[in-house]
PDB file of all heavy atoms in Angstrom:
ATOM      1  N   ALA B  52      -1.622  12.050  18.350  1.00 98.00           N
ATOM      2  CA  ALA B  52      -1.697  12.967  17.283  1.00 98.00           C
ATOM      3  C   ALA B  52      -2.428  12.392  16.074  1.00 98.00           C
ATOM      4  O   ALA B  52      -3.262  13.085  15.459  1.00 98.00           O
ATOM      5  CB  ALA B  52      -0.271  13.512  16.823  1.00 98.00           C
ATOM      6  N   ARG B  54      -4.479   9.868  15.496  1.00 98.00           N
ATOM      7  CA  ARG B  54      -5.910   9.372  15.609  1.00 98.00           C
ATOM      8  C   ARG B  54      -6.119   8.033  14.866  1.00 98.00           C
ATOM      9  O   ARG B  54      -7.274   7.659  14.642  1.00 98.00           O
ATOM     10  CB  ARG B  54      -6.903  10.428  15.276  1.00 98.00           C
ATOM     11  CG  ARG B  54      -6.713  11.850  15.682  1.00 98.00           C
ATOM     12  CD  ARG B  54      -6.340  12.006  17.111  1.00 98.00           C
ATOM     13  NE  ARG B  54      -7.485  12.152  17.978  1.00 98.00           N
ATOM     14  CZ  ARG B  54      -7.371  12.242  19.294  1.00 98.00           C
ATOM     15  NH1 ARG B  54      -6.208  12.284  19.931  1.00 98.00           N
ATOM     16  NH2 ARG B  54      -8.434  12.382  20.046  1.00 98.00           N
ATOM     17  N   TRP B 183       1.874  25.521   9.483  1.00 96.00           N
ATOM     18  CA  TRP B 183       0.646  25.390  10.157  1.00 96.00           C
ATOM     19  C   TRP B 183      -0.373  24.619   9.358  1.00 96.00           C
ATOM     20  O   TRP B 183      -0.055  24.374   8.182  1.00 96.00           O
ATOM     21  CB  TRP B 183       0.185  26.863  10.309  1.00 96.00           C
ATOM     22  CG  TRP B 183      -0.837  27.124  11.451  1.00 96.00           C
ATOM     23  CD1 TRP B 183      -2.133  27.415  11.245  1.00 96.00           C
ATOM     24  CD2 TRP B 183      -0.609  26.894  12.875  1.00 96.00           C
ATOM     25  NE1 TRP B 183      -2.765  27.602  12.561  1.00 96.00           N
ATOM     26  CE2 TRP B 183      -1.899  27.148  13.507  1.00 96.00           C
ATOM     27  CE3 TRP B 183       0.484  26.484  13.583  1.00 96.00           C
ATOM     28  CZ2 TRP B 183      -2.024  27.060  15.006  1.00 96.00           C
ATOM     29  CZ3 TRP B 183       0.317  26.381  14.931  1.00 96.00           C
ATOM     30  CH2 TRP B 183      -0.908  26.755  15.607  1.00 96.00           C
TER      31      TRP B 183
ATOM     32  N   MET A 194      -6.038  29.145  17.306  1.00 97.00           N
ATOM     33  CA  MET A 194      -5.671  28.182  18.302  1.00 97.00           C
ATOM     34  C   MET A 194      -5.020  28.682  19.558  1.00 97.00           C
ATOM     35  O   MET A 194      -5.020  27.996  20.581  1.00 97.00           O
ATOM     36  CB  MET A 194      -4.691  27.116  17.690  1.00 97.00           C
ATOM     37  CG  MET A 194      -5.331  25.896  17.062  1.00 97.00           C
ATOM     38  SD  MET A 194      -6.475  25.101  18.200  1.00 97.00           S
ATOM     39  CE  MET A 194      -5.321  24.479  19.413  1.00 97.00           C
ATOM     40  N   GLU A 197      -7.412  28.548  22.402  1.00 98.00           N
ATOM     41  CA  GLU A 197      -7.775  27.279  23.034  1.00 98.00           C
ATOM     42  C   GLU A 197      -6.894  27.154  24.292  1.00 98.00           C
ATOM     43  O   GLU A 197      -5.684  27.307  24.185  1.00 98.00           O
ATOM     44  CB  GLU A 197      -7.583  26.187  22.043  1.00 98.00           C
ATOM     45  CG  GLU A 197      -8.156  24.849  22.511  1.00 98.00           C
ATOM     46  CD  GLU A 197      -7.338  24.001  23.466  1.00 98.00           C
ATOM     47  OE1 GLU A 197      -6.152  24.242  23.552  1.00 98.00           O
ATOM     48  OE2 GLU A 197      -7.902  23.157  24.063  1.00 98.00           O
ATOM     49  N   ALA A 210       1.438  26.821  19.007  1.00 97.00           N
ATOM     50  CA  ALA A 210       0.118  26.741  19.744  1.00 97.00           C
ATOM     51  C   ALA A 210      -0.477  25.487  19.356  1.00 97.00           C
ATOM     52  O   ALA A 210      -1.742  25.561  19.041  1.00 97.00           O
ATOM     53  CB  ALA A 210      -0.589  27.978  19.359  1.00 97.00           C
ATOM     54  N   ASN A 211       0.134  24.290  19.642  1.00 97.00           N
ATOM     55  CA  ASN A 211      -0.577  23.124  19.610  1.00 97.00           C
ATOM     56  C   ASN A 211      -1.217  22.883  21.002  1.00 97.00           C
ATOM     57  O   ASN A 211      -0.722  23.340  21.963  1.00 97.00           O
ATOM     58  CB  ASN A 211       0.331  21.878  19.367  1.00 97.00           C
ATOM     59  CG  ASN A 211       0.989  22.028  17.915  1.00 97.00           C
ATOM     60  OD1 ASN A 211       2.152  22.049  17.863  1.00 97.00           O
ATOM     61  ND2 ASN A 211       0.175  22.016  16.950  1.00 97.00           N
ATOM     62  N   PRO A 212      -2.413  22.229  20.973  1.00 98.00           N
ATOM     63  CA  PRO A 212      -3.067  21.945  22.235  1.00 98.00           C
ATOM     64  C   PRO A 212      -2.221  20.887  23.050  1.00 98.00           C
ATOM     65  O   PRO A 212      -1.332  20.353  22.450  1.00 98.00           O
ATOM     66  CB  PRO A 212      -4.416  21.458  21.975  1.00 98.00           C
ATOM     67  CG  PRO A 212      -4.210  20.934  20.528  1.00 98.00           C
ATOM     68  CD  PRO A 212      -3.284  21.700  19.841  1.00 98.00           C
ATOM     69  N   PHE A 361     -11.751  27.793   9.388  1.00 98.00           N
ATOM     70  CA  PHE A 361     -11.231  26.752  10.347  1.00 98.00           C
ATOM     71  C   PHE A 361     -10.086  25.916   9.723  1.00 98.00           C
ATOM     72  O   PHE A 361      -9.127  25.502  10.472  1.00 98.00           O
ATOM     73  CB  PHE A 361     -12.374  25.860  10.561  1.00 98.00           C
ATOM     74  CG  PHE A 361     -13.449  26.537  11.528  1.00 98.00           C
ATOM     75  CD1 PHE A 361     -14.760  26.663  11.119  1.00 98.00           C
ATOM     76  CD2 PHE A 361     -13.032  27.071  12.830  1.00 98.00           C
ATOM     77  CE1 PHE A 361     -15.744  27.265  11.918  1.00 98.00           C
ATOM     78  CE2 PHE A 361     -13.984  27.689  13.545  1.00 98.00           C
ATOM     79  CZ  PHE A 361     -15.360  27.787  13.150  1.00 98.00           C
ATOM     80  N   GLU A 364      -6.985  27.694  10.176  1.00 98.00           N
ATOM     81  CA  GLU A 364      -6.606  27.838  11.623  1.00 98.00           C
ATOM     82  C   GLU A 364      -6.259  26.483  12.338  1.00 98.00           C
ATOM     83  O   GLU A 364      -5.835  26.394  13.450  1.00 98.00           O
ATOM     84  CB  GLU A 364      -7.751  28.487  12.391  1.00 98.00           C
ATOM     85  CG  GLU A 364      -7.821  29.983  12.004  1.00 98.00           C
ATOM     86  CD  GLU A 364      -6.502  30.702  12.034  1.00 98.00           C
ATOM     87  OE1 GLU A 364      -5.756  30.493  12.968  1.00 98.00           O
ATOM     88  OE2 GLU A 364      -6.281  31.628  11.128  1.00 98.00           O
ATOM     89  N   SER A 365      -6.546  25.387  11.691  1.00 98.00           N
ATOM     90  CA  SER A 365      -6.195  24.053  12.305  1.00 98.00           C
ATOM     91  C   SER A 365      -4.675  24.054  12.582  1.00 98.00           C
ATOM     92  O   SER A 365      -3.921  24.645  11.765  1.00 98.00           O
ATOM     93  CB  SER A 365      -6.409  22.941  11.138  1.00 98.00           C
ATOM     94  OG  SER A 365      -5.740  21.821  11.577  1.00 98.00           O
ATOM     95  N   CYS A 366      -4.341  23.598  13.701  1.00 98.00           N
ATOM     96  CA  CYS A 366      -2.960  23.647  14.124  1.00 98.00           C
ATOM     97  C   CYS A 366      -2.144  22.681  13.432  1.00 98.00           C
ATOM     98  O   CYS A 366      -0.840  22.771  13.490  1.00 98.00           O
ATOM     99  CB  CYS A 366      -2.792  23.519  15.629  1.00 98.00           C
ATOM    100  SG  CYS A 366      -2.777  21.948  16.214  1.00 98.00           S
ATOM    101  N   GLY A 367      -2.635  21.672  12.798  1.00 98.00           N
ATOM    102  CA  GLY A 367      -1.874  20.696  12.097  1.00 98.00           C
ATOM    103  C   GLY A 367      -1.413  19.516  12.884  1.00 98.00           C
ATOM    104  O   GLY A 367      -0.564  18.717  12.511  1.00 98.00           O
ATOM    105  N   TRP A 368      -1.897  19.343  14.121  1.00 98.00           N
ATOM    106  CA  TRP A 368      -1.438  18.347  14.970  1.00 98.00           C
ATOM    107  C   TRP A 368      -2.075  16.950  14.730  1.00 98.00           C
ATOM    108  O   TRP A 368      -1.459  15.984  14.553  1.00 98.00           O
ATOM    109  CB  TRP A 368      -1.582  18.778  16.415  1.00 98.00           C
ATOM    110  CG  TRP A 368      -1.198  17.745  17.515  1.00 98.00           C
ATOM    111  CD1 TRP A 368      -2.025  17.055  18.329  1.00 98.00           C
ATOM    112  CD2 TRP A 368       0.091  17.271  17.812  1.00 98.00           C
ATOM    113  NE1 TRP A 368      -1.381  16.211  19.117  1.00 98.00           N
ATOM    114  CE2 TRP A 368       0.014  16.301  18.842  1.00 98.00           C
ATOM    115  CE3 TRP A 368       1.395  17.514  17.260  1.00 98.00           C
ATOM    116  CZ2 TRP A 368       1.020  15.641  19.406  1.00 98.00           C
ATOM    117  CZ3 TRP A 368       2.403  16.842  17.863  1.00 98.00           C
ATOM    118  CH2 TRP A 368       2.210  15.885  18.840  1.00 98.00           C
ATOM    119  N   CYS A 369      -3.361  16.970  14.542  1.00 98.00           N
ATOM    120  CA  CYS A 369      -4.121  15.700  14.446  1.00 98.00           C
ATOM    121  C   CYS A 369      -4.698  15.553  13.023  1.00 98.00           C
ATOM    122  O   CYS A 369      -5.169  16.565  12.370  1.00 98.00           O
ATOM    123  CB  CYS A 369      -5.109  15.451  15.585  1.00 98.00           C
ATOM    124  SG  CYS A 369      -6.614  16.385  15.497  1.00 98.00           S
ATOM    125  N   THR A 370      -4.800  14.314  12.543  1.00 98.00           N
ATOM    126  CA  THR A 370      -5.106  14.060  11.200  1.00 98.00           C
ATOM    127  C   THR A 370      -6.505  14.503  10.749  1.00 98.00           C
ATOM    128  O   THR A 370      -6.647  15.185   9.745  1.00 98.00           O
ATOM    129  CB  THR A 370      -4.922  12.575  10.807  1.00 98.00           C
ATOM    130  OG1 THR A 370      -3.682  12.149  11.353  1.00 98.00           O
ATOM    131  CG2 THR A 370      -5.082  12.256   9.344  1.00 98.00           C
ATOM    132  N   PRO A 371      -7.494  14.128  11.556  1.00 98.00           N
ATOM    133  CA  PRO A 371      -8.870  14.491  11.033  1.00 98.00           C
ATOM    134  C   PRO A 371      -9.134  16.037  10.742  1.00 98.00           C
ATOM    135  O   PRO A 371      -9.630  16.361   9.658  1.00 98.00           O
ATOM    136  CB  PRO A 371      -9.847  13.983  12.105  1.00 98.00           C
ATOM    137  CG  PRO A 371      -9.035  12.929  12.916  1.00 98.00           C
ATOM    138  CD  PRO A 371      -7.724  13.431  12.900  1.00 98.00           C
ATOM    139  N   CYS A 372      -8.573  16.787  11.604  1.00 98.00           N
ATOM    140  CA  CYS A 372      -8.728  18.222  11.501  1.00 98.00           C
ATOM    141  C   CYS A 372      -7.763  18.763  10.431  1.00 98.00           C
ATOM    142  O   CYS A 372      -8.223  19.447   9.472  1.00 98.00           O
ATOM    143  CB  CYS A 372      -8.569  18.891  12.877  1.00 98.00           C
ATOM    144  SG  CYS A 372      -8.367  20.595  12.891  1.00 98.00           S
ATOM    145  N   ARG A 373      -6.596  18.429  10.516  1.00 98.00           N
ATOM    146  CA  ARG A 373      -5.498  18.962   9.679  1.00 98.00           C
ATOM    147  C   ARG A 373      -5.870  18.684   8.210  1.00 98.00           C
ATOM    148  O   ARG A 373      -5.708  19.493   7.333  1.00 98.00           O
ATOM    149  CB  ARG A 373      -4.131  18.465  10.015  1.00 98.00           C
ATOM    150  CG  ARG A 373      -3.035  18.923   9.082  1.00 98.00           C
ATOM    151  CD  ARG A 373      -1.712  18.155   9.384  1.00 98.00           C
ATOM    152  NE  ARG A 373      -1.932  16.738   9.131  1.00 98.00           N
ATOM    153  CZ  ARG A 373      -1.724  15.756  10.006  1.00 98.00           C
ATOM    154  NH1 ARG A 373      -1.426  15.989  11.179  1.00 98.00           N
ATOM    155  NH2 ARG A 373      -1.913  14.516   9.614  1.00 98.00           N
ATOM    156  N   ASP A 374      -6.128  17.367   7.878  1.00 98.00           N
ATOM    157  CA  ASP A 374      -6.479  16.972   6.500  1.00 98.00           C
ATOM    158  C   ASP A 374      -7.875  17.015   6.141  1.00 98.00           C
ATOM    159  O   ASP A 374      -8.190  17.025   4.979  1.00 98.00           O
ATOM    160  CB  ASP A 374      -5.794  15.609   6.299  1.00 98.00           C
ATOM    161  CG  ASP A 374      -4.246  15.671   6.279  1.00 98.00           C
ATOM    162  OD1 ASP A 374      -3.697  16.714   5.838  1.00 98.00           O
ATOM    163  OD2 ASP A 374      -3.608  14.792   6.755  1.00 98.00           O
ATOM    164  N   LEU A 376     -10.358  19.174   7.386  1.00 98.00           N
ATOM    165  CA  LEU A 376     -10.990  20.469   7.167  1.00 98.00           C
ATOM    166  C   LEU A 376     -10.550  21.144   5.816  1.00 98.00           C
ATOM    167  O   LEU A 376     -11.456  21.591   5.169  1.00 98.00           O
ATOM    168  CB  LEU A 376     -10.640  21.421   8.346  1.00 98.00           C
ATOM    169  CG  LEU A 376     -11.288  21.211   9.657  1.00 98.00           C
ATOM    170  CD1 LEU A 376     -10.825  22.212  10.657  1.00 98.00           C
ATOM    171  CD2 LEU A 376     -12.791  21.500   9.532  1.00 98.00           C
ATOM    172  N   THR A 411     -11.078  14.172  17.718  1.00 98.00           N
ATOM    173  CA  THR A 411      -9.939  14.962  17.384  1.00 98.00           C
ATOM    174  C   THR A 411      -9.182  15.243  18.708  1.00 98.00           C
ATOM    175  O   THR A 411      -9.661  15.123  19.794  1.00 98.00           O
ATOM    176  CB  THR A 411     -10.180  16.224  16.641  1.00 98.00           C
ATOM    177  OG1 THR A 411     -11.209  16.882  17.332  1.00 98.00           O
ATOM    178  CG2 THR A 411     -10.651  15.861  15.212  1.00 98.00           C
ATOM    179  N   TYR A 412      -8.011  15.774  18.625  1.00 98.00           N
ATOM    180  CA  TYR A 412      -7.103  16.034  19.706  1.00 98.00           C
ATOM    181  C   TYR A 412      -7.742  17.203  20.519  1.00 98.00           C
ATOM    182  O   TYR A 412      -7.582  17.160  21.880  1.00 98.00           O
ATOM    183  CB  TYR A 412      -5.760  16.298  19.274  1.00 98.00           C
ATOM    184  CG  TYR A 412      -4.700  16.273  20.396  1.00 98.00           C
ATOM    185  CD1 TYR A 412      -4.064  15.035  20.702  1.00 98.00           C
ATOM    186  CD2 TYR A 412      -4.281  17.427  21.000  1.00 98.00           C
ATOM    187  CE1 TYR A 412      -3.067  15.070  21.722  1.00 98.00           C
ATOM    188  CE2 TYR A 412      -3.397  17.417  21.986  1.00 98.00           C
ATOM    189  CZ  TYR A 412      -2.740  16.210  22.390  1.00 98.00           C
ATOM    190  OH  TYR A 412      -1.793  16.218  23.298  1.00 98.00           O
ATOM    191  N   CYS A 413      -8.245  18.166  19.963  1.00 98.00           N
ATOM    192  CA  CYS A 413      -8.797  19.256  20.713  1.00 98.00           C
ATOM    193  C   CYS A 413     -10.202  19.519  20.134  1.00 98.00           C
ATOM    194  O   CYS A 413     -10.650  18.992  19.206  1.00 98.00           O
ATOM    195  CB  CYS A 413      -7.901  20.532  20.764  1.00 98.00           C
ATOM    196  SG  CYS A 413      -8.099  21.561  19.329  1.00 98.00           S
ATOM    197  N   ALA A 414     -10.846  20.643  20.620  1.00 97.00           N
ATOM    198  CA  ALA A 414     -12.253  20.888  20.321  1.00 97.00           C
ATOM    199  C   ALA A 414     -12.385  21.723  19.100  1.00 97.00           C
ATOM    200  O   ALA A 414     -13.515  22.032  18.646  1.00 97.00           O
ATOM    201  CB  ALA A 414     -12.910  21.548  21.494  1.00 97.00           C
ATOM    202  N   LEU A 415     -11.243  22.190  18.467  1.00 98.00           N
ATOM    203  CA  LEU A 415     -11.381  23.077  17.310  1.00 98.00           C
ATOM    204  C   LEU A 415     -12.149  22.359  16.296  1.00 98.00           C
ATOM    205  O   LEU A 415     -13.056  22.909  15.543  1.00 98.00           O
ATOM    206  CB  LEU A 415     -10.022  23.528  16.758  1.00 98.00           C
ATOM    207  CG  LEU A 415     -10.029  24.479  15.583  1.00 98.00           C
ATOM    208  CD1 LEU A 415      -8.976  25.560  15.715  1.00 98.00           C
ATOM    209  CD2 LEU A 415      -9.953  23.726  14.225  1.00 98.00           C
ATOM    210  N   ALA A 416     -11.801  21.169  15.887  1.00 98.00           N
ATOM    211  CA  ALA A 416     -12.404  20.537  14.727  1.00 98.00           C
ATOM    212  C   ALA A 416     -13.883  20.195  15.014  1.00 98.00           C
ATOM    213  O   ALA A 416     -14.740  20.426  14.153  1.00 98.00           O
ATOM    214  CB  ALA A 416     -11.659  19.192  14.505  1.00 98.00           C
ATOM    215  N   ALA A 417     -14.192  19.841  16.281  1.00 98.00           N
ATOM    216  CA  ALA A 417     -15.614  19.523  16.567  1.00 98.00           C
ATOM    217  C   ALA A 417     -16.433  20.738  16.464  1.00 98.00           C
ATOM    218  O   ALA A 417     -17.499  20.757  15.838  1.00 98.00           O
ATOM    219  CB  ALA A 417     -15.720  18.950  17.981  1.00 98.00           C
TER     220      ALA A 417
HETATM  221  S1  SF4 M  30      -8.343  19.301  16.238  1.00 56.19           S
HETATM  222 FE1  SF4 M  30      -6.241  18.574  16.012  1.00 56.19          FE
HETATM  223  S2  SF4 M  30      -5.397  19.666  14.297  1.00 56.19           S
HETATM  224 FE2  SF4 M  30      -7.191  20.656  14.858  1.00 56.19          FE
HETATM  225  S3  SF4 M  30      -6.572  22.313  16.159  1.00 56.19           S
HETATM  226 FE3  SF4 M  30      -7.199  20.601  17.575  1.00 56.19          FE
HETATM  227  S4  SF4 M  30      -5.259  19.458  17.734  1.00 56.19           S
HETATM  228 FE4  SF4 M  30      -4.883  20.868  16.025  1.00 56.19          FE
END
Side-chain angles (χ1 to χ4, degrees):
Chain B
R54 320 307 277 179
W183 201 244
Chain A
M194 267 310 291
E197 195 276 342
N211 294 124
F361 289 123
E364 293 305 323
S365 163
C366 81
W368 177 246
C369 72
T370 310
C372 168
R373 178 191 62 240
D374 290 328
L376 284 177
T411 52
Y412 193 87
C413 85
L415 183 140

